[in-house]
Amino acid sequence: MMHFTYGGTAASSAAWFNSPDNPGSSAQVVIERDGSIIQCVSFDRPAWHAGTSEWRDRHGNHIVGLNRSSFGIELANWGFLKRAGSGWQSYTGRPIADPFMGVHRNGNPDGSTQPIGWEDYPEAQIRSAVALARAAVDAYGIDEIVGHDDIAPTRKWDPGPAFDMARFRELVFGDAGNADDSTATGELTVNVAEGLNLRAGPGTQFAVMVLLANGTRLRPLERQGRWISVSVLQNGQPVNTGWVHEAYVA
Ligand SMILES: [Zn+2]
């Protein structure tokens, strides 16, 4: 299970897990932004990272409380940010440059429906998490990766929209990803009130071809990072193709 720490260094989060003042939160590992890993709890012991949670796993089992059936992987990350002038900062007031801008699929923590800033995850941190997850998959036969925001959707936002879960699952499991990677085949819907730019390529540097109205149906063709190549559907028929950012489709 993937988390963000909502904090500063991995060492500070690991210290908090071990602090006598901590009411009982912990996780097996915390991964620093540079990819270094701190183990806090042995893999053969439960950690207290999931809290009140439930999940129907890919085999159809309904699991209530996931601490005893999952590892907690915490990524050092400030999570959702607050606006500060023209930029963004952590809840502690630390400026965060170039945040990922996105809307949480379960709704933003502040209730807004517009993109807000989230600290992005450095590639070194992701690669380290992938290597760790692969080792856990091999050693323990784990076959599913979830976010804290999957199993406690009404009260948790981690790892949040800056964490590319579909790509992470692919890197760990291979092309198929795991159970609910529906973007490979399922249709998508534009999910932004003011409409969404259809672009000529996978990035904001590519020209806007047309503004897609909220609710427009899309058929995904391929993925590149957080961008998805789509056919735009009208009455179920493709009428245009281009690229959209994954944060604005559901
Ligand atoms: Zn969490």
Side-chain angles (χ1 to χ4, degrees):
M1 183 181 308
M2 307 306 297
H3 303 261
F4 58 56
T5 55
Y6 200 51
T9 64
S12 69
S13 295
W16 168 243
F17 289 154
N18 292 324
S19 161
D21 298 331
N22 183 317
S25 66
S26 59
Q28 274 75 15
V29 296
V30 187
I31 303 182
E32 187 50 277
R33 293 165 179 83
D34 68 3
S36 57
I37 297 175
I38 303 173
Q39 182 159 16
C40 302
V41 176
S42 166
F43 285 115
D44 58 2
R45 296 184 61 80
W48 310 112
H49 61 96
T52 303
S53 53
E54 58 182 299
W55 185 244
R56 188 171 295 281
D57 76 10
R58 58 181 312 186
H59 308 291
N61 303 308
H62 185 222
I63 305 168
V64 178
L66 277 79
N67 284 328
R68 292 183 181 278
S69 54
S70 63
F71 296 148
I73 298 179
E74 295 269 357
L75 303 173
N77 182 283
W78 286 109
F80 46 92
L81 307 173
K82 55 183 185 179
R83 204 177 273 284
S86 60
W88 294 85
Q89 64 183 26
S90 72
Y91 76 91
T92 60
R94 184 189 182 90
I96 305 294
D98 293 326
F100 177 81
M101 298 298 297
V103 182
H104 198 288
R105 66 186 185 285
N106 301 334
N108 286 332
D110 63 2
S112 69
T113 54
Q114 300 299 310
I116 61 171
W118 303 74
E119 187 185 356
D120 217 341
Y121 296 95
E123 189 64 13
Q125 189 180 31
I126 295 299
R127 290 285 164 180
S128 183
V130 166
L132 180 79
R134 278 185 184 155
V137 165
D138 290 345
Y140 297 98
I142 290 168
D143 64 357
E144 191 162 13
I145 299 171
V146 297
H148 206 182
D149 47 9
D150 289 319
I151 58 108
T154 60
R155 62 184 188 87
K156 290 294 177 181
W157 292 271
D158 60 315
F163 185 78
D164 189 342
M165 181 62 89
R167 173 172 178 256
F168 187 74
R169 287 168 171 159
E170 283 180 13
L171 289 171
V172 175
F173 291 115
D175 284 347
N178 64 357
D180 57 352
D181 188 8
S182 56
T183 55
T185 52
E187 285 184 10
L188 303 169
T189 304
V190 173
N191 185 31
V192 52
E194 63 269 33
L196 173 63
N197 289 327
L198 181 72
R199 290 186 181 271
T204 52
Q205 72 271 30
F206 292 95
V208 176
M209 301 163 67
V210 64
L211 184 70
L212 302 171
N214 192 20
T216 301
R217 300 289 293 168
L218 307 170
R219 181 177 298 154
L221 303 173
E222 64 167 293
R223 175 181 281 274
Q224 204 167 310
R226 295 191 176 117
W227 290 82
I228 305 169
S229 161
V230 295
S231 285
V232 179
L233 303 178
Q234 216 168 66
N235 302 320
Q237 296 302 310
V239 294
N240 205 348
T241 60
W243 292 80
V244 295
H245 194 282
E246 68 168 11
Y248 306 107
V249 296

